[in-house]
């Protein structure tokens, strides 16, 4: 019955009610029990609604210039994701159990350090008890009291990171706890007992930007900034010794998309010179020779590069870099002075979003525009992140098709944002590595080339 709702949303006309569809007093739960003749009649009505809805949807796709997005990207991608879900990814169970034990021991050790610094034992996972320890017993400044106690959210603790050694330990403890509960314990819970594989679900239309997401379990959100988080990838292995992993990822794809969409000659030239883009930005923004850029200047330029992509303002960038808002504003102004067309692109994105009510990617994927600060940041990011997501979807289709048409035993098994993981039959690995690199680099034709790195390994950790 829910299909009637979908059809009606497009047809915008009267359609059979649930009662009309199933008969008085009947619901969709009892539909299967209806006589065959009634089920057949209702099936015919459904078919008619879908036939009419298809015509409306095709007209809407044509109006929005989204036929290629639908027919050449999203529909073929269904088969790619279905194969990935069906095949799954193998887990080294012994390694996962050892990882779980190691995390438990690390948590125990971290607990003792926190208790020693606090001068007493308490429930670290209780915001109320933690708030009392931090803001009353230890007297840390900046506590915000709510109806239930002090806030101990991550952003609050981040600001207090240098105020007392206990804060650093608590933040680390939380990371370890998440790794253990979400990944070590969580993966063991969903691992198939017979195949010892994880079968994730890949969602292609849930995120606002069009990025593919992964659920049950989420394999795209492993906290790789933490060394123990990166090491989690060691537990993911090929199905047998006949296979190895090939991991390919795009180099700075969102910055390359930004160069293309904005058409900024300076940024395009920086990529075409094949030099370190962050060092180049630092040299241009901070007015120092390329070879004299310091590691700090490069790091700050990198933060500005990605801050611009995500629509960050001076306040947010200042917090990221640990500098004043004024200094961060000077960085941003210097950046836009060097790359003026990027500023124009940002301004035009907001202007067009306000006018049209949406912003879109190069393939006309749309996101509704909300005229407020958070909405503006999302709007500036959408054409960049969304286009990057569209490119990797096209790459996945090309790679999957090439492997099938070539009769290869190698398989695409995982996608994580700008990265593809192939379980490659060892006798095919050179040919497959070439297929992977060529199809990813030629997934789209931009003003700057797409650059892809391919690595091999006996585990996801080694291949990455």
């Amino acid at each position: 019955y829910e299909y009637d709702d979908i059809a009606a949303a497009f047809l915008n006309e009267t359609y059979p009610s649930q009662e009309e569809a199933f008969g008085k007093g009947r619901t969709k739960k009892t539909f299967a029990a209806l006589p065959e003749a009634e089920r057949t009649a209702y099936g015919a009505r459904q078919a008619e609604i879908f036939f009419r809805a298809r015509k409306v949807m095709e007209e809407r796709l044509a109006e929005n210039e989204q036929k290629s997005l639908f027919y050449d990207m999203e529909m073929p991608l269904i088969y790619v994701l279905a194969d990935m879900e069906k095949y799954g990814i193998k887990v080294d169970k012994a390694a996962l159990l050892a990882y779980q034990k190691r995390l438990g021991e690390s948590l125990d050790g971290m607990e003792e350090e926190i208790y020693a610094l606090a001068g007493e034992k308490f429930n670290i996972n209780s915001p109320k008890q933690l708030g009392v320890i931090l803001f009353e017993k230890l007297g840390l400044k900046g506590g915000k009291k709510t109806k239930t106690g002090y806030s101990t959210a991550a952003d609050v603790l981040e600001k207090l990171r240098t105020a007392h050694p206990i804060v650093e330990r608590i933040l680390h403890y939380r990371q370890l706890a998440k790794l253990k509960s979400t990944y070590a314990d969580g993966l063991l819970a969903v691992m198939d007992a017979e195949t010892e594989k994880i079968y994730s679900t890949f969602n292609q239309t849930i995120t606002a930007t069009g990025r593919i997401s992964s659920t049950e379990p989420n394999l795209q959100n492993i906290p790789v900034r933490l060394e123990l988080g990166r090491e989690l990838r060691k537990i993911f292995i090929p199905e047998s010794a006949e296979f190895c992993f090939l991991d390919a990822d795009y180099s700075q794809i969102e910055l390359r998309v930004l160069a293309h969409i904005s058409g900024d000659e300076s940024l395009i030239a920086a990529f075409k010179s094949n030099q370190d883009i962050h060092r180049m930005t630092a040299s241009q923004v901070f007015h120092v020779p390329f070879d004299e850029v310091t590691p700090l200047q490069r790091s700050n330029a990198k933060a500005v590069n990605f801050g611009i992509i995500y629509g960050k303002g001076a306040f947010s960038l200042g917090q990221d870099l640990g500098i004043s808002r004024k200094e961060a504003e000077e960085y941003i102004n210097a950046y836009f002075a060097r790359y003026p067309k990027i500023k124009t692109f940002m301004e035009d994105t907001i202007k067009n979003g306000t006018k049209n009510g949406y912003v879109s990617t190069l393939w006309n994927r749309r996101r509704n525009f909300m005229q407020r600060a958070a909405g503006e940041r999302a709007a500036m990011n959408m054409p960049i992140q969304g286009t990057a997501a569209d490119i990797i979807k096209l790459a996945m289709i090309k790679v999957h098709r090439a492997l099938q048409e070539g009769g290869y035993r190698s398989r695409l098994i995982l996608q994580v944002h700008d990265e593809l993981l192939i379980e490659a039959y060892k006798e095919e690995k050179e040919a497959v590595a070439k297929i992977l690199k060529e199809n990813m680099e030629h997934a789209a034709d931009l003003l700057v080339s797409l650059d892809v790195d391919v690595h091999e390994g006996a585990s996801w950790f080694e291949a990455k």
Side-chain angles (χ1 to χ4, degrees):
Y1 177 74
E2 58 267 30
Y3 295 134
D4 282 319
D5 298 318
I6 297 169
F10 289 100
L11 293 170
N12 193 26
E13 61 181 48
T14 305
Y15 59 102
S17 68
Q18 183 167 326
E19 193 171 88
E20 290 172 325
F22 298 120
K24 193 169 184 178
R26 289 171 172 168
T27 68
K28 58 183 174 183
K29 290 180 182 177
T30 61
F31 181 57
L34 288 175
E36 184 179 353
E38 288 187 49
R39 292 203 308 273
T40 302
Y42 184 66
R45 294 173 76 182
Q46 291 282 47
E48 181 187 353
I49 289 170
F50 279 126
F51 178 78
R52 291 155 67 200
R54 176 176 176 171
K55 183 173 182 292
V56 175
M57 286 189 284
E58 284 183 336
E59 289 173 356
R60 191 73 54 82
L61 287 171
E63 286 172 16
N64 295 347
E65 298 182 322
Q66 292 177 318
K67 292 185 78 169
S68 178
L69 175 70
F70 185 76
Y71 290 110
D72 301 332
M73 188 185 303
E74 295 299 343
M75 292 304 289
L77 188 68
I78 292 171
Y79 301 97
V80 181
L81 298 181
D83 281 350
M84 288 165 59
E85 290 182 4
K86 180 181 176 183
Y87 190 71
I89 183 168
K90 178 91 172 188
V91 169
D92 183 337
K93 187 177 180 180
L96 180 53
L97 288 168
Y99 183 77
Q100 182 189 46
K101 183 182 177 184
R102 185 179 164 198
L103 280 171
E105 291 169 349
S106 296
L107 278 167
D108 290 342
M110 192 59 60
E111 268 186 5
E112 292 305 318
E113 287 188 40
I114 292 169
Y115 295 154
L117 289 165
E120 64 177 270
K121 287 191 175 183
F122 65 100
N123 183 355
I124 301 169
N125 297 310
S126 165
K128 188 173 183 178
Q129 292 184 35
L130 179 58
V132 171
I133 293 289
L134 294 178
F135 302 111
E136 293 184 9
K137 183 171 183 181
L138 298 178
L140 301 186
K141 305 298 181 186
K144 294 179 181 177
K145 203 160 189 179
T146 64
K147 291 180 181 178
T148 56
Y150 293 96
S151 171
T152 58
D155 60 331
V156 174
L157 296 189
E158 281 293 341
K159 293 174 184 175
L160 298 171
R161 190 185 280 269
T162 58
H164 193 285
I166 196 173
V167 180
E168 183 76 40
R169 305 298 199 285
I170 291 164
L171 288 167
H172 191 59
Y173 174 89
R174 286 182 175 179
Q175 288 180 310
L176 292 175
K178 181 176 175 60
L179 276 174
K180 186 175 185 301
S181 63
T182 304
Y183 295 102
D185 301 343
L187 291 178
L188 279 167
V190 298
M191 184 180 69
D192 186 280
E194 187 177 335
T195 65
E196 294 191 349
K197 283 187 173 186
I198 298 289
Y199 299 93
S200 186
T201 297
F202 298 97
N203 313 295
Q204 68 187 94
T205 57
I206 285 179
T207 65
T209 59
R211 268 188 169 188
I212 294 169
S213 65
S214 163
T215 52
E216 298 178 4
N218 182 355
L219 296 178
Q220 298 185 324
N221 202 30
I222 296 171
V224 293
R225 290 182 182 177
L226 195 67
E227 180 59 33
L228 267 171
R230 287 194 294 275
E231 289 188 19
L232 178 61
R233 292 186 173 202
K234 289 180 179 178
I235 72 160
F236 295 102
I237 57 173
E239 187 179 55
S240 72
E242 293 181 296
F243 293 85
C244 65
F245 279 155
L246 291 176
D247 186 283
D249 67 327
Y250 282 111
S251 173
Q252 300 165 333
I253 186 170
E254 291 184 350
L255 281 173
R256 292 171 189 269
V257 168
L258 174 61
H260 174 86
I261 292 180
S262 68
D264 190 274
E265 292 86 354
S266 296
L267 190 57
I268 291 169
F271 275 115
K272 287 189 173 180
S273 66
N274 289 320
Q275 296 202 48
D276 181 332
I277 189 67
H278 301 309
R279 181 176 287 272
M280 178 73 78
T281 299
S283 172
Q284 295 172 335
V285 170
F286 301 128
H287 307 293
V288 294
F290 183 84
D291 295 331
E292 294 177 21
V293 170
T294 66
L296 178 60
Q297 287 173 326
R298 184 190 181 279
S299 177
N300 286 349
K302 183 177 180 179
V304 175
N305 271 328
F306 288 111
I308 295 297
I309 285 178
Y310 293 108
K312 288 187 177 180
F315 178 76
S316 181
L317 182 63
Q319 283 191 316
D320 290 348
L321 297 178
I323 59 177
S324 69
R325 180 172 185 165
K326 184 180 178 183
E327 195 174 356
E329 199 166 332
E330 288 172 358
Y331 283 4
I332 292 172
N333 290 338
Y335 182 93
F336 284 139
R338 193 67 190 88
Y339 303 120
K341 284 194 175 179
I342 294 178
K343 185 177 184 182
T344 302
F345 158 70
M346 297 294 187
E347 291 171 345
D348 287 348
T349 298
I350 301 301
K351 193 185 300 179
N352 292 332
T354 303
K355 177 184 174 184
N356 301 323
Y358 64 86
V359 290
S360 58
T361 70
L362 288 182
W363 280 268
N364 292 319
R365 183 186 306 281
R366 294 182 178 185
R367 180 177 187 175
N368 289 342
F369 175 76
M370 294 172 287
Q371 201 166 11
R372 50 186 171 82
E376 289 189 1
R377 287 194 297 273
M380 286 187 280
N381 173 239
M382 165 61 183
I384 304 163
Q385 191 181 97
T387 295
D390 288 346
I391 288 171
I392 200 155
K393 283 182 174 181
L394 291 170
M396 291 169 72
I397 294 164
K398 285 174 174 283
V399 169
H400 182 261
R401 190 173 290 155
L403 293 177
Q404 282 195 327
E405 291 176 353
Y408 292 95
R409 292 180 62 183
S410 304
R411 314 156 181 106
L412 174 61
I413 62 171
L414 191 62
Q415 183 267 3
V416 180
H417 306 316
D418 57 358
E419 170 190 358
L420 297 183
L421 185 67
I422 297 273
E423 186 171 272
Y425 186 53
K426 287 181 178 176
E427 293 180 13
E428 300 170 352
K429 67 180 183 182
E430 285 80 12
V432 171
K434 187 178 179 183
I435 285 171
L436 196 52
K437 187 174 175 67
E438 288 184 355
N439 281 285
M440 287 179 72
E441 289 183 340
H442 294 95
D445 185 19
L446 303 185
L447 294 173
V448 296
S449 61
L450 293 171
D451 189 32
V452 174
D453 297 316
V454 182
H455 301 284
E456 176 192 343
S459 69
W460 188 12
F461 181 86
E462 284 185 18
K464 184 61 180 168

